[in-house]
Amino acid sequence: MGLLDKEFSDGNIVIARAEDLMNWARLSSIWQLGFGLACCAIEMMATSASHYDFDRFGVIPRNTPRQADAIIISGTVTLKMATRIKRLYEQMPDPKYIISMGSCANCGGPYWEHGYHVLKGIDRVIPVDVYVPGCPPRPEALLEGLLKLQDKIRNESIRKKIA
Amino acid sequence: MKNPEEIYELLKKEFNETIFGLDKDTPVENIISVDPMNIHKIGAFLKDNEELKFDSLMVLSGVDDANGTKVKDEDGTEVITGGTLSVYYHLHSTVLKHKITIKTSAPRENPEVESVYDVWRTSDWHEREAFDMFGIIFKNHPDLTRILMPYDWDAGYPLRKDYKNPEFYQGMKVPY
């Protein structure tokens, strides 16, 4: 990233590209919408708790979409819930990111054939940045997904949203 | 504590022709079949009678018997006409420690069953679920609306054997 490689002699000044600085700030404080759906949400909560500690990556749950940067779709999305998720997503300010967690959110999971009430993948409703496979994914997998999202944000450009 | 025959005899004595029969060939509790349009007073009797005291409705569930005539559509799906839809009431007396299952069947074309909402409050949401999944109409239920599916779901009742899932719901593609 090159934040610290051009240090001045007095040590208090660091120069960097504005883009890098913004991306660094953004990826280091991804506030997620406090939102869980099914068994994946249990793993997500475990990831937030002290063993895996989501907070060390700057991820804390916010209880309003208006202050959230990311939403983790953690579980089975029913058709009824999909309309609500879409509204929550639309209430989030840009830039906003979506992690689709687990098979259900990715593609319908075990409900793909006979789930008359299940949306077969959250990407039919809102654009997904990172897909985390698993049923449910272990906390390590979710952390990996978060790191992938951070990589994506790190390479973002001010001119154009790519993540 | 009463055994199923004694419960059946008590009901038969009180309600006579609205009690249809006792099925003893069951793996768990025996099943008494009754008339759907008299289930409310039968339920009240089962709950209040000193010798029965069925104070707990453990579960109320709908069943598609699929015993009508089955016709294959041109696209291969089955449509059932005639036959019945059933409602099962699993009752337990916490005082007298006995159990029984009550069954009632209504015609598929007009599946109307009396609500037992004001006998056992448990049946409130259970009846709404049976309505949501099977389309069974519970007469005198105070708020018979869908409980699981979206309120604007108009593609039918998902647990019926001849149910067909829609292509789209609110612009979202439903099949895989």
Side-chain angles (χ1 to χ4, degrees):
Chain A
M1 193 164 52
L3 266 183
L4 295 171
D5 57 356
K6 296 200 179 63
E7 212 173 310
F8 285 77
S9 52
D10 72 349
N12 279 329
I13 300 169
V14 174
I15 59 165
R17 287 161 63 204
E19 204 167 69
D20 286 340
L21 191 67
M22 275 174 66
N23 287 347
W24 167 77
R26 222 165 247 170
L27 70 87
S28 307
S29 63
I30 299 173
W31 289 0
Q32 63 143 325
L33 180 59
F35 178 77
L37 284 176
C39 31
C40 280
I42 304 291
E43 296 297 305
M44 185 189 72
M45 287 182 270
T47 317
S48 292
S50 46
H51 250 85
Y52 292 94
D53 196 13
F54 236 172
D55 200 6
R56 66 195 155 131
F57 300 102
V59 178
I60 52 169
R62 298 297 293 175
N63 290 323
T64 164
R66 293 167 208 284
Q67 296 172 0
D69 304 304
I71 178 169
I72 300 176
I73 309 297
S74 52
T76 316
V77 183
T78 59
L79 294 166
K80 199 174 178 180
M81 184 55 93
T83 53
R84 275 86 166 160
I85 289 179
K86 189 157 197 296
R87 176 167 293 188
L88 283 172
Y89 174 74
E90 283 163 355
Q91 286 177 2
M92 286 163 62
D94 270 322
K96 48 192 170 185
Y97 306 97
I98 295 164
I99 297 176
S100 168
M101 182 186 182
S103 295
C104 292
N106 292 344
C107 63
Y111 309 99
W112 71 276
E113 190 173 13
H114 298 296
Y116 55 86
H117 60 304
V118 175
L119 183 71
K120 314 298 187 301
I122 189 63
D123 50 7
R124 292 184 180 188
V125 180
I126 49 176
V128 175
D129 292 296
V130 177
Y131 296 89
V132 180
C135 188
R138 280 194 55 83
E140 290 92 331
L142 183 57
L143 291 175
E144 171 93 31
L146 181 78
L147 295 178
K148 289 270 182 248
L149 180 61
Q150 289 189 332
D151 278 345
K152 238 181 150 173
I153 298 171
R154 193 169 284 129
N155 295 315
E156 254 184 14
S157 151
I158 292 178
R159 282 158 290 161
K160 194 161 148 260
K161 192 195 172 192
I162 49 172
Chain B
M1 181 136 178
K2 291 243 175 285
N3 65 35
E5 282 95 352
E6 292 168 323
I7 295 169
Y8 177 67
E9 287 310 319
L10 270 169
L11 284 178
K12 197 76 187 167
K13 209 169 85 195
E14 181 77 19
F15 296 103
N16 199 13
E17 75 277 6
T18 57
I19 310 293
F20 298 148
L22 171 69
D23 181 7
K24 292 207 280 186
D25 185 27
T26 52
V28 276
E29 280 81 45
N30 295 167
I31 299 171
I32 299 175
S33 318
V34 306
D35 177 45
M37 290 323 255
N38 285 291
I39 185 70
H40 177 258
K41 62 181 182 194
I42 293 170
F45 176 78
L46 283 163
K47 189 186 180 190
D48 298 331
N49 186 279
E50 281 302 304
E51 293 177 276
L52 297 173
K53 286 200 165 163
F54 282 107
D55 50 359
S56 164
L57 174 64
M58 293 188 292
V59 67
L60 180 157
S61 47
V63 172
D64 184 357
D65 299 314
N67 50 5
T69 47
K70 295 169 183 128
V71 186
K72 278 252 196 293
D73 254 4
E74 58 270 21
D75 60 343
T77 51
E78 232 172 33
V79 177
I80 304 174
T81 43
T84 52
L85 297 170
S86 293
V87 183
Y88 285 78
Y89 306 80
H90 295 266
L91 301 173
H92 173 53
S93 170
T94 59
V95 190
L96 303 172
K97 311 287 181 205
H98 53 208
K99 290 179 184 174
I100 196 76
T101 302
I102 306 289
K103 174 200 176 181
T104 181
S105 298
R108 191 187 191 83
E109 272 61 48
N110 183 30
E112 288 189 345
V113 178
E114 269 189 341
S115 172
V116 289
Y117 168 81
D118 52 6
V119 181
W120 299 286
R121 281 298 177 91
T122 315
S123 65
D124 182 355
W125 282 17
H126 289 219
E127 285 178 351
R128 283 179 64 190
E129 192 193 11
F131 166 71
D132 194 357
M133 296 288 121
F134 297 95
I136 297 164
I137 315 288
F138 289 91
K139 290 298 223 187
N140 305 325
H141 190 283
D143 177 34
L144 196 66
T145 50
R146 287 192 183 268
I147 188 169
L148 298 169
M149 302 301 285
Y151 296 123
D152 60 347
W153 188 259
D154 53 9
Y157 304 103
L159 291 193
R160 285 199 184 184
K161 295 289 184 190
D162 57 352
Y163 171 76
K164 251 164 65 181
N165 223 14
E167 277 295 307
F168 286 93
Y169 168 70
Q170 291 206 0
M172 295 178 281
K173 188 164 166 270
V174 179
Y176 183 69

